[in-house]
Amino acid sequence: MGQSSGQSSPGGREEYLGDVSRPLSSLLTSPCGNPAASVTSASVFPRVVGGHVTSAEYFPWTVAIHDWLTNNIVCGGAILTEHLVITAAHCFHGHPQASLYYIMAGKSKLLEYESWQQMTFIDQIIMHEGFNASSYENDIALVRVKTPFTLQTPTVRPVCFPASTHTLPAGTLCYLAGFGDTLGTGTDEVLNYMRVPVIEDEVCARQDFHGVDFSPAGTFCAGYVNGGPDACTGDSGSGLVTKHTDGLFYVYGVSSWGSGCGEARRPGVYTDVLHYISWVYGKFLIFNRNLPFVG
């Protein structure tokens, strides 16, 4: 949690050196972070683990990344622009070929055809150059799609991306939606969401929590000390969002890893988007100059 990190990645690649004090949305023409339905009035039938059933109108930036051969969900993600999705690097570890995946957006029911759904293939996967598959350090990636999303439909809209001046204090309530495993607490084939608070780094690093496995440099924890709602298998890469005072939703976390799902003193660990603002900006601006991503 906190401000954007330095100017170069652990992998040695230079990051964007310009002004990141304004949200990425200020460079875009399409509105962001404005769901067609208010998340506060979303369905609250107990079902992500320990979450609630919802629909795409409440979380229209949510996408499901599928394996092309099996149709199984690999990960989730969040729409940033008509061409870009933010997700986790570990989703593609060992299989970084874009042709292996496709993306579904606007979905509420995974196994049913919905007239408003959008499907697109992946053009390029941009994993962070410093991603470590053992420690999950730098667990962030961008995906560029072949066919751009049609935005500002009720079920497909981008989430806002924060600026370096933004912060995410402990205790902030955040939301995550996905089609991941519910471990019997609900139905995996429908979109579920949860609301969890950000946990202090000092608490997450305690030996009775994640201990030395947790690194506050680039990650943070969110969840409940006594267990409860949590991301699980299939939710990796999904965006953890919170609502700003401007009424818009911004993505601050990317679901990265955890120890079990919904267990006491084992909150979910999220890639800290604020730590990677320069990296995301750099890739975004390269794309807007119609150059291939370096990744």
Side-chain angles (χ1 to χ4, degrees), residues 52-278:
H52 310 286
V53 173
T54 188
S55 63
E57 292 89 348
Y58 296 96
F59 300 93
W61 44 82
T62 301
V63 302
I65 301 173
H66 292 257
D67 183 296
W68 172 246
L69 295 177
T70 65
N71 289 324
N72 292 333
I73 282 188
V74 176
C75 278
I79 297 172
L80 293 182
T81 75
E82 62 181 353
H83 294 100
L84 291 179
V85 168
I86 190 170
T87 186
H90 79 259
C91 299
F92 310 107
H93 176 64
H95 303 280
Q97 299 87 356
S99 60
L100 296 178
Y101 310 95
Y102 66 93
I103 293 178
M104 296 297 298
K107 294 290 293 180
S108 298
K109 298 178 180 179
L110 193 60
L111 302 182
E112 297 182 17
Y113 172 77
E114 296 166 298
S115 60
W116 50 82
Q117 70 186 36
Q118 296 183 32
M119 176 184 175
T120 184
F121 294 96
I122 293 178
D123 181 55
Q124 192 170 359
I125 298 168
I126 311 99
M127 298 169 61
H128 193 285
E129 300 83 1
F131 172 64
N132 185 313
S134 298
S135 66
Y136 276 30
E137 182 182 7
N138 302 311
D139 190 16
I140 190 169
L142 292 175
V143 168
R144 183 166 68 181
V145 298
K146 285 189 175 181
T147 304
F149 298 109
T150 300
L151 301 179
Q152 302 312 318
T153 72
T155 59
V156 181
R157 301 182 180 189
V159 68
C160 294
F161 192 82
S164 61
T165 54
H166 292 154
T167 60
L168 188 67
T172 301
L173 289 175
C174 299
Y175 298 85
L176 180 142
F179 291 98
D181 198 340
T182 64
L183 296 185
T185 65
T187 305
D188 302 344
E189 290 79 20
V190 299
L191 187 64
N192 290 278
Y193 86 97
M194 66 175 187
R195 186 177 71 170
V196 291
V198 175
I199 295 177
E200 295 90 343
D201 290 342
E202 295 77 12
V203 173
C204 201
R206 281 170 28 185
Q207 289 304 310
D208 56 336
F209 278 70
H210 288 301
V212 296
D213 291 333
F214 171 71
S215 171
T219 61
F220 66 89
C221 288
Y224 295 93
V225 172
N226 295 323
D230 192 11
C232 201
T233 305
D235 292 317
S236 288
S238 297
L240 190 73
V241 306
T242 192
K243 192 174 186 179
H244 276 206
T245 55
D246 61 9
L248 303 177
F249 284 89
Y250 289 73
V251 60
Y252 277 90
V254 173
S255 181
S256 180
W257 63 274
S259 180
C261 302
E263 298 181 7
R265 296 185 299 281
R266 295 295 185 273
V269 179
Y270 297 83
T271 301
D272 186 353
V273 168
L274 289 174
H275 192 81
Y276 296 97
I277 287 179
S278 294

